[in-house]
Amino acid sequence: MPLAQPATPTRLRFAVLGPLTGEAGGRPLALGPLKQRLVLAVLLSRANTAVPVDLLTDAVWPEEPPRTARKNLQVYICTLRTLLGREEGPDRLSHSAAGYLLRVAEPELDLLRFRALARAGRAAADGGALAPAARLLRQALDLWQGPPLADLRRSPAVAAEADRLEARCLGVHEDWAETELELGNAGAVAEDLAELAERHPLRERLQAARMNALHLSGRQAEALAVYDTHRQLLARELGLEPSPALTARYRELLARGRSLPTAARPDRGTGPGGSLLPADTADFTGRTDELRQLVDELGSGGGRVAVLTGPAGSGKTALAVHAGHLLADRFPDGRVLVRLRTEDGAARPLPEVLAELAALTGRPGAAPTGADRTGPGPADPAQPDTARADTAPADTARAAALWRASLAGRRLLLVLDDAPGEAVVRELLPGFGPSAVLVTSRGQLAGLASVRRIAVPPLAPAEALDLLGRIVGTGRTGADRAAAARIAAACGLLPLAVRVAGTRLAVLRHLPLAEYAARLEDPAGALDELVAGDVTVRARLDSGWRDLTDQGRLALARLAALPLALLFTLPEAAAALGRPERLALRTLEALTDTGAVTSPTGEVTAHAALYALPRLTHLHARERAVRTAVGAPQTVGAPQTAVAAPARSPEPV
């Protein structure tokens, strides 16, 4: 083959696939001053091709070449001829009307060797010889010693040559990865591409190869995360979507993740077949850090519990469902979501939740009904009421114990959505085993021990803008980006509000973004504008309002009298509440636990802390203060009184 090394080593060797270097007879060559090295770099990067004098001039003098540029260039050429050898220098480096031409043999230049190996590897792959192809392509890649001409990139002309070489290297890297994947070596490809794909995030073929490698290595969550990161970057930087081919591949991987293995599917008689998670959000945006934390925490197994906390509308459920789909490969026995509140926001009784879980999974856990009993019980009209009250809690406790025992040998992900308190959650957590639990809640659920709490804050402004653009169209938001940013800000950067606003705008195509932004910025009508069909932001805020005690609602209403969108201090809160600072601090901490108040500052003392009411919570509390007669004599922030109303105990059955 022409790729074989010569029997005797060549006298000269040059390298451009990394820093520019040269050697003669095995000893390093002194390549001269910077401008001379720039000339040599361009000649070597275009070896055996005539290089125009103007290109060499631009490489050496990128700004304004001196009047002596051509004469100086001739001096550099003369010195290089001497470097190449007195006998063959003029033949090696010749001049014609087309420019200067440097003749180099394949063994003398790493770039020529790289090209020959790459051509041979591609030819072998085209002929079906995958193993030799992968070996040849790997040999080509091993010639690279870092970014090409890395020490000379201050010259724009040399940087352009280096970028062209690097693009060629990336193409060979992609060829090698795809060949190795066909050979079944996904693990090696996934590790090799990790750093390269991060350095070139817009290179779609590279991202696709990494996705496939991760998926074939059993790392589906990471494979799907690669696509999501790439999609967000394209939208943010270029206003583009991934190619149809990459999107189709993503959907294929996602569909595989949603399909539970046969063993995880419930029997036809006990519940619906197929996925037990809601459909993933097609335009899910942001939350990269939170997703990484969830994948790390829950994907490692060992009975982990994670709690997503945040106010209503912050996107906790969407994040939990998205993470559940990403974690499909880690939980072969299935992923189940059960809601812990009714549609009107009331807490569901534990027996009802257990019965639903039993129906969904085909496992024990439902509290027995009267027809299931072998002795007298609540179903027996002759049994006294006191007996019925004593028996039902015991039945519920037994059903919960059966549910926990059923999880012992299974690797299942249980998503408990919108938990009103710790009591029901605690009864559903597995005692041991590889199953994991993901809980969403507006409050912190401080009574749960040994759990990982992950706050779900509002979106970053760029993420909220990205989400709005994905709903109404990036062309429309790009045409008036300032108005789109005002809409996102007026929505408090909350995913629910941004999604409702986007859906409304998608229906009202005639409505200018600036006009809608002005409507949302009007405190008197903002909540009226955040309605899309049967989805309203006000309804979610009403549910959070009902969770508070009367004293909590009074405190929130008084804080809402503070200026809108203004951070406030503990003394200012105490003045608004009409209480001493010691009691006001208790009230603020309790409201922070419910998500009604936020503290955007870092870890500081109570007097140095700053607090805020999220914009939509602030507007809603003002509205309720007007609509609801709040009794002035009520005590606000008394130490012995919790602001959040405790969850109701389950009704006996």
Side-chain angles (χ1 to χ4, degrees), residues 129-156:
L130 297 181
R135 185 172 60 254
L136 290 166
L137 294 171
R138 185 72 258 176
Q139 289 175 11
L141 295 173
D142 288 343
L143 292 172
W144 287 74
Q145 302 301 313
L149 303 173
D151 52 335
L152 301 173
R153 288 190 176 226
R154 284 175 294 176
S155 167

Side-chain angles (χ1 to χ4, degrees), residues 262-352:
T262 303
R265 292 177 181 166
D267 296 331
R268 293 291 180 182
T270 59
S275 175
L276 301 180
L277 284 179
D280 199 2
T281 305
D283 50 17
F284 185 87
T285 303
R287 307 304 190 196
T288 303
D289 291 341
E290 291 83 359
L291 278 172
R292 186 179 298 113
Q293 292 180 60
L294 285 175
V295 170
D296 291 345
E297 182 69 21
L298 300 178
S300 58
R304 302 297 182 91
V305 179
V307 179
L308 295 176
T309 65
S314 60
K316 301 181 296 296
T317 301
L319 175 58
V321 170
H322 190 66
H325 286 299
L326 291 180
L327 289 164
D329 57 319
R330 311 290 179 92
F331 296 98
D333 290 320
R335 294 147 294 141
V336 182
L337 181 143
V338 63
R339 305 189 189 281
L340 299 185
R341 293 180 188 259
T342 61
E343 288 297 323
D344 61 1
R348 296 177 63 192
L350 177 59
E352 181 181 308

